Amino acid sequence: MAECLLDESERDPGARLGNARRVVIKIGSSLLVDPSTGRLDDLWFGSLVDDVGALRSRGQDVLLVSSGAIALGRRHLGLREGPLRLEQSQAAAAAGQIRLAHAWQEALGRHDIPVAQVLLTLGDTEQRRRYLNARGTLETLLGLGAVPVINENDTVATEEIRYGDNDRLAARVAQMMSADCLVLLSDVDGLYTADPTQFPEAELIATVSEITPDVEILAGESTTDLGSGGMITKIAAAKIALRAGCHMVIASGRNPHPLQAVESGAPCTWFVAGDTPASVRKQWIAGSLKPRGDLVVDAGAAAALAAGKSLLPAGVIEVHGEFERGDAVIVRDGDGTELAHGLVAYSVSEARRIMGRKSSEIAAILGYGGRDELIHRNDLAMIKRNG
Ligand code: GLU
């Protein structure tokens, strides 16, 4: 009987990956690069790419966060043993990234999947304007059916301005792109009740729905995983993902077809989000951002917004405030009643010039093309009213 009470995804945890609309997959260096040869493990790599191809052919958006640049480049430059100094890692990354990108291009190309390399630094996800640019580019790539292959821009990232590990970078990407599933493939199959290398009776934890202090302690005790991450950065990634409404899974990538394995329920640890990315984003737009201006709309636009549509310039009759592209603004009706908060796609001076005009006229008016919508519906949070 208890079975009936379980929600679908509890019975079939792999469906969180299988049914996701947008997936970020992080692949650790220790999986990609064979430490004895310093080369890519081709057989395994091919099987992973087959799995990515399967997700794409079902129409799922895929973003890959691929480590391995430093591991691939160090051998190429003759930097063999021991820890590297920062400038050596940067040099190794410069040599390795080109190989890494080439390998992804070759492998995904066999599935006719266009590949695009995106190298990010911390500021690209933490500073608003750069964040908007990075998100816009990634969104365009996904819209064109490409798979972005993302890594930290190690060659320019010094200690103070680097993520340092791709677990958190992947979580930031998942948050930025409103992904609904983040897969961390590494050399461990999840979070254990104790360090399994020391305590054979340690058990794998199948589901975590909240990062409690106990979970953090467990992560601190774990000594597994050879990448720069370890379990602590995976838990930090889980915190970011869950706050963004994105499920996250730590799964072993040791065997071929690691994504297929997660989907078919192989042992792993799922961090289950209580919210969806869309609702978290709307709460953020409505609650956390200080509005910089007001857009007054006509009755037709107000009705369109209430029906879940985007705000087009044609429906705007007044523009107030001082705002830039990407800032939050309040949308009001002619009586001054707040209808919505939203992220505006044009600056105040541009908005004044295009208000009341058709979207097809935007390029001619501004001298450059932009979005058709002044506020896209994904960037709108409607004000709920009782009654
Ligand atoms: N960005 C590093 C690389 O490509 C990897 C960082 C990590 O291991 O998390 O080599």
Side-chain angles (χ1 to χ4, degrees), residues 245-317:
C246 174
H247 301 311
M248 185 186 108
V249 61
I250 302 175
S252 168
R254 284 238 161 273
N255 296 317
H257 297 292
L259 299 174
Q260 217 178 69
V262 169
E263 275 193 53
S264 22
C268 52
T269 302
W270 277 101
F271 295 79
V272 181
D275 270 318
T276 64
S279 67
V280 169
R281 187 166 157 76
K282 300 227 162 177
Q283 285 161 32
W284 172 70
I285 292 170
S288 315
L289 293 173
K290 188 171 151 29
R292 303 275 170 203
D294 292 77
L295 304 179
V296 180
V297 301
D298 63 18
L305 294 182
K309 303 239 167 69
S310 299
L311 177 64
L312 302 177
V316 177
I317 48 183

Side-chain angles (χ1 to χ4, degrees), residues 45 49 56 65 96 105 117 138 151 170 213 227 257 297 307 331 343 345:
F45 190 57
V49 169
R56 284 293 305 124
V65 174
Q105 186 187 4
Q117 171 183 270
L138 289 169
N151 198 357
H257 297 292
V297 301
V331 182
L343 302 182

Side-chain angles (χ1 to χ4, degrees), residues 66-79:
S66 174
S67 303
I70 297 172
L72 280 175
R74 62 182 296 159
R75 186 185 167 93
H76 184 68
L77 295 180
L79 294 161

Side-chain angles (χ1 to χ4, degrees), residues 68-313:
I70 297 172
L72 280 175
R74 62 182 296 159
R75 186 185 167 93
H76 184 68
L77 295 180
L79 294 161
R80 298 269 157 104
E81 298 299 319
L84 298 176
R85 293 196 308 276
L86 178 66
E87 62 274 19
Q88 290 176 319
S89 329
Q90 292 179 314
Q97 183 61 36
I98 198 167
R99 289 176 164 65
L100 191 61
H102 181 72
W104 282 111
Q105 186 187 4
E106 285 258 292
L108 285 159
R110 284 197 281 275
H111 291 259
D112 288 326
I113 298 173
V115 188
Q117 171 183 270
V118 177
L119 299 178
L120 297 175
T121 48
L122 195 59
D124 298 322
T125 56
E126 314 305 300
Q127 288 170 22
R128 181 124 184 85
R129 210 136 302 280
R130 282 163 62 185
Y131 164 99
L132 287 172
N133 284 334
R135 190 164 68 104
T137 305
L138 289 169
E139 204 59 76
T140 306
L141 286 168
L142 294 174
L144 294 169
V147 169
V149 176
I150 302 165
N151 198 357
E152 179 155 20
N153 193 353
D154 290 308
T155 50
V156 297
T158 53
E159 289 303 348
E160 318 77 65
I161 58 151
R162 68 203 296 254
Y163 302 94
D165 66 87
N166 278 0
D167 294 326
R168 279 175 305 168
L169 170 61
R172 283 281 180 230
V173 169
Q175 176 188 40
M176 174 162 80
M177 300 311 295
S178 299
D180 32 21
C181 184
L182 166 62
V183 183
L184 299 185
L185 289 180
S186 78
D187 54 4
V188 285
D189 48 10
L191 181 65
Y192 279 82
T193 52
D195 184 346
T197 58
Q198 291 182 39
F199 302 96
E201 70 283 7
E203 281 172 28
L204 184 73
I205 301 171
T207 314
V208 177
S209 48
E210 201 188 337
I211 313 291
T212 58
D214 288 349
V215 170
E216 303 212 49
I217 291 168
L218 285 180
E221 284 168 355
S222 159
T223 55
T224 43
D225 193 79
L226 304 172
S228 48
M231 201 47 84
I232 292 183
T233 60
K234 290 183 175 49
I235 299 301
K239 278 188 181 170
I240 298 168
L242 294 196
R243 269 203 308 270
C246 174
H247 301 311
M248 185 186 108
V249 61
I250 302 175
S252 168
R254 284 238 161 273
N255 296 317
H257 297 292
L259 299 174
Q260 217 178 69
V262 169
E263 275 193 53
S264 22
C268 52
T269 302
W270 277 101
F271 295 79
V272 181
D275 270 318
T276 64
S279 67
V280 169
R281 187 166 157 76
K282 300 227 162 177
Q283 285 161 32
W284 172 70
I285 292 170
S288 315
L289 293 173
K290 188 171 151 29
R292 303 275 170 203
D294 292 77
L295 304 179
V296 180
V297 301
D298 63 18
L305 294 182
K309 303 239 167 69
S310 299
L311 177 64
L312 302 177

